[in-house]
Amino acid sequence: MPPTTILLASVLKPLDDTRMFGKFGRTLAERPGMQVHVAGRRAPHPPGASTNLHTHELLAGSRLSWQRLAAQWRYWRLLQQVQPQVVVVHAPELLPLTLLWCSQGRERHFIYDVRENYALNILTQQVYPHVLRQLLAKLVRRIETAATRRAAALVLAERSYAEELPFATLNNSVILENKYQPPPNEPASAGPHALPMPPAPLELLYSGTISELNGVFDAIAFTYAFRQVWPTARLTIIGFCQQPEVLRRLQQAVTAAPEALTLLGGDQLVPHREVVRVIQRSHLGLLPYQPHPSTWRCLPTKLFEYAAHGLPMLLPYNALWLAATQAYTAALPCADFAQPNATALAADLRATRFYPHGIPTDVFWASEAAKLWSVVDAIR
């Protein structure tokens, strides 16, 4: 018989995480008789969730707090309480206890959802102290490799991971991309966003994780430069910032230019429905990522979100991203967000007909949902 009780778990991802809750959780809860439990970092229970979709808090503190150790104990107790037949692990730090849990019963299985190249991220990003990076990266890679041998299925969020990760191939894994899953009761978009003409305000958007690597300060520099040719251009920054020094600099910039910059979130997680609302009222999405090995071969989630709402985009010269949007005429390239050729870009924006064939259908989660069900149904 297919499983009927499933637990989706992460320590750092919020309970309303778009992939864990919004995509995996809502998809699995659609089938009658299923009980789906989501465990993660403290966040409000999303409105409109079905009664068979439950949330459980594992972490209330920061990623470097002692509460992160306590989250392991909470996870173990939750496993015993819920008694899931299948666990979908969305974070490598939960793999050891998941392996222990599954070893104690024949009808216990787990799926490992690889959302990031964790070892590479640890080594190349400035999140952890330098002395910890080598040790943590090696430890994570060993845990992932050992766990993959015993997993009922391996899921990859990015196609590139099948080439980068030593334990993953296209033959032993299923790729479930971060395509857009509309929240409950969201009306279908009426059509692509129309760019206004000066002097009407132009609403620019930076959404998602706020960091220097993801280009938040380049987005601000772009806005200042673009206001020279489009004086009513304004930038909304919405998302969460994990780095106190980056947040302090950002808050100072917003305070100094309230007519040009708006910050939503910053020091707190933002519900995804709020992000969607801002996408719906924006005119141009900015993806000013800086080239980096941890992001350059991945398709940003916001690329799917913007395309699903018909929002025109500006992209860096990343061949993968430009190719992904070319068929829809969804984006224009920007060689340097920090020092853009604003006059030429403004002319190109006015001359381009974005999404000439309407909003594309293949950026939505429905195609991935079918693959997820195939993975789960194969477990007996």
Side-chain angles (χ1 to χ4, degrees):
M1 291 291 293
T4 57
T5 302
I6 297 182
L7 172 63
L8 316 172
S10 173
V11 172
L12 295 179
K13 296 300 180 183
L15 291 172
D16 59 355
D17 175 66
T18 55
R19 182 173 177 90
M20 183 170 62
F21 185 98
K23 296 169 185 173
F24 280 62
R26 291 192 190 276
T27 296
L28 296 172
E30 289 174 354
R31 183 173 291 181
M34 293 290 292
Q35 292 297 320
V36 181
H37 299 262
V38 177
R41 194 172 184 175
R42 176 181 291 174
H45 187 75
S50 57
T51 57
N52 63 334
L53 185 51
H54 318 278
T55 53
H56 308 268
E57 181 182 302
L58 295 182
L59 178 68
S62 70
R63 68 169 55 221
L64 297 179
S65 71
W66 288 107
Q67 286 293 317
R68 191 162 179 180
L69 291 177
Q72 296 284 330
W73 172 244
R74 295 190 186 98
Y75 177 60
W76 182 249
R77 289 181 61 188
L78 183 61
L79 286 168
Q80 296 172 321
Q81 171 193 340
V82 173
Q83 294 284 317
Q85 295 157 298
V86 174
V87 181
V88 183
V89 183
H90 294 270
E93 66 190 281
L94 295 180
L95 286 171
L97 282 181
T98 304
L99 284 167
L100 177 60
W101 165 258
C102 291
S103 70
Q104 297 179 353
R106 294 184 60 185
E107 302 303 320
R108 299 174 180 180
H109 309 276
F110 77 94
I111 298 168
Y112 182 32
D113 177 33
V114 184
R115 303 174 55 140
E116 302 175 31
N117 185 338
Y118 296 101
L120 178 65
N121 290 3
I122 292 169
L123 286 173
T124 59
Q125 296 181 4
Q126 308 298 314
V127 174
Y128 296 98
H130 178 75
V131 293
L132 290 178
R133 290 178 203 159
Q134 292 287 339
L135 178 62
L136 286 175
K138 290 179 181 178
L139 179 61
V140 166
R141 182 56 50 81
R142 288 178 181 175
I143 290 173
E144 288 182 307
T145 302
T148 300
R149 299 191 188 106
R150 298 174 60 184
L154 180 65
V155 169
L156 308 178
E158 301 286 346
R159 187 172 297 274
S160 62
Y161 295 163
E163 302 171 359
E164 298 173 15
L165 302 174
F167 56 84
T169 68
L170 289 175
N171 293 327
N172 76 343
S173 57
V174 176
I175 298 168
L176 298 182
E177 294 182 295
N178 279 311
K179 297 185 178 183
Y180 181 67
Q181 169 75 323
N185 303 318
E186 177 183 305
S189 181
H193 293 218
L195 289 174
M197 297 294 290
L202 178 70
E203 300 292 344
L204 308 175
L205 174 62
Y206 171 106
S207 66
T209 301
I210 297 173
S211 69
E212 196 161 7
L213 176 62
N214 287 3
V216 66
F217 295 114
D218 288 343
I220 291 174
F222 176 90
T223 303
Y224 290 153
F226 212 68
R227 283 171 63 86
Q228 300 302 310
V229 297
W230 202 315
T232 54
R234 303 182 301 212
L235 173 67
T236 296
I237 301 166
I238 181 168
F240 178 64
C241 181
Q242 302 182 74
Q243 300 165 294
E245 176 57 24
V246 171
L247 180 60
R248 183 189 63 79
R249 290 171 55 197
L250 177 59
Q251 290 171 331
Q252 288 179 342
V254 172
T255 300
E259 74 288 349
L261 307 174
T262 298
L263 173 62
L264 302 174
D267 59 352
Q268 56 188 341
L269 296 169
V270 181
H272 189 245
R273 61 184 180 277
E274 298 297 330
V275 177
V276 171
R277 275 198 275 267
V278 176
I279 292 174
Q280 291 171 331
R281 64 173 175 80
S282 298
H283 298 124
L284 184 64
L286 307 182
L287 285 80
Y289 289 82
Q290 298 179 4
H292 193 273
S294 67
T295 58
W296 213 238
R297 299 183 68 195
C298 302
L299 287 172
T301 300
K302 69 180 74 176
L303 188 149
F304 294 114
E305 293 177 338
Y306 293 173
H309 290 91
L311 181 66
M313 299 173 246
L314 286 183
L315 303 178
Y317 275 93
N318 177 305
L320 174 66
W321 303 355
L322 290 169
T325 58
Q326 184 177 15
Y328 323 127
T329 316
L332 291 177
C334 178
D336 187 350
F337 281 86
Q339 295 181 312
N341 185 335
T343 301
L345 264 178
D348 289 343
L349 287 170
R350 295 189 189 102
T352 302
R353 183 187 173 197
F354 293 96
Y355 303 98
H357 305 296
I359 293 176
T361 58
D362 59 355
V363 299
F364 288 88
W365 172 253
S367 61
E368 312 305 286
K371 291 190 286 184
L372 175 59
W373 271 121
S374 296
V375 171
V376 172
D377 286 341
I379 298 174
R380 295 290 188 271

